[in-house]
Every structure is written in structure tokens, then in C-alpha cells.
Amino acid sequence: MSRKAEVLTEAKPALPVGPLVAGWLLPGGGHFLLGRWGRGGLLLGSIGLLFVFGLANAGSFFEPARGNPVDTLGFLGNLCAGLFYFGAKFSGYTSTITAAPHADYGSKFLIVAGLLNVLAILDAYDIAMGKKS
């Protein structure tokens, strides 16, 4: 077999959609799907605590705003928390306090929970692709 035929027969690994979607919906879910129970549990607990602390401190969710990239990026940070965000949003959670300092901290906790989940998703992706053990 020629070198060109060998290159053509090598298949690229498929995109691991399962761990990516599971990791977004449930923090640590991608790791659970890959059998990494300890790491998945640690991520679920830490991201869940950040989210609960954000809600307990009356943090508010960002809404996407046309022409305001800060609010749009904040919304994406909230959205990345997956089912935590959807559960709080659809259960009717709204922050009634907006001017208090602890509410500002609460909003930051909510965004950081989503951003930490993005890192967890990328970690699950690397494990699924064999780039990390």
C-alpha cells in the first residue's frame, strides 16, 4: 500500500458529542459519561455550590442586550451553567435586590459557575479525544 493510500485510510476521531452535551447540561456530566466519577463529582459539587451561593446572595441573571457586549457575555456565562441556570430561571427565580453589594457578588458567583463549567466541558473533551488521561 502506498503512503498516499495509508493517509487516506486514516480516519479522524469523531467529535465526542455525548460528553460535550452531558457536560454542559450537568456540570461534571461529561466526566460521569467517561467513567471519571471522582472528577465528575468534584466538578458537580463545586459548580453547584458556586451557583447556590450566587442564588443565596441574590445574584441576578444577565439578559442578552443588543449593542451591549457585557450583558451578552454575562448571559453566555449564565447559560453555560446548564440545567442549574434553566432550573432557576424556569422556577421563577428573580433577584429582588440589585443595589446591595452582596447581590453583585452573587451575580459574579453565577457567572463563574458557568465559566468553570466551560473549563470542565473542555477537560471532558480532551479526555474523550485521548489528549489527556
Side-chain angles (χ1 to χ4, degrees), residues 12 24-25 27 30 35 38 42 44 50 78 89 111 120-121:
K12 291 185 178 180
W24 171 63
L25 287 176
L42 183 64
L44 178 62
L50 278 172
N78 291 147
K89 192 77 168 166
I111 291 173
I121 293 166

Side-chain angles (χ1 to χ4, degrees), residues 5-127:
E6 288 177 20
V7 172
L8 291 176
T9 58
E10 289 179 13
K12 291 185 178 180
L15 183 69
V17 176
L20 295 176
V21 173
W24 171 63
L25 287 176
L26 180 69
H31 292 84
F32 291 139
L33 198 63
L34 295 170
R36 308 291 173 121
W37 298 100
R39 189 177 289 183
L42 183 64
L43 288 167
L44 178 62
S46 60
I47 294 170
L49 276 175
L50 278 172
F51 199 85
V52 168
F53 286 159
L55 295 179
N57 284 311
S60 59
F61 292 125
F62 285 85
E63 298 295 329
R66 189 178 189 105
N68 189 347
V70 173
D71 284 347
T72 303
L73 289 173
F75 169 72
L76 290 174
N78 291 147
L79 187 65
C80 288
L83 289 177
F84 288 137
Y85 169 74
F86 292 117
K89 192 77 168 166
F90 292 126
S91 69
Y93 172 81
T94 56
S95 175
T96 56
I97 305 169
T98 56
H102 69 277
D104 189 42
Y105 284 116
S107 298
K108 302 310 181 267
F109 274 115
L110 294 172
I111 291 173
V112 169
L115 295 178
L116 183 58
N117 196 32
V118 169
L119 293 176
I121 293 166
L122 293 174
D123 185 53
Y125 171 80
D126 284 343
I127 292 170

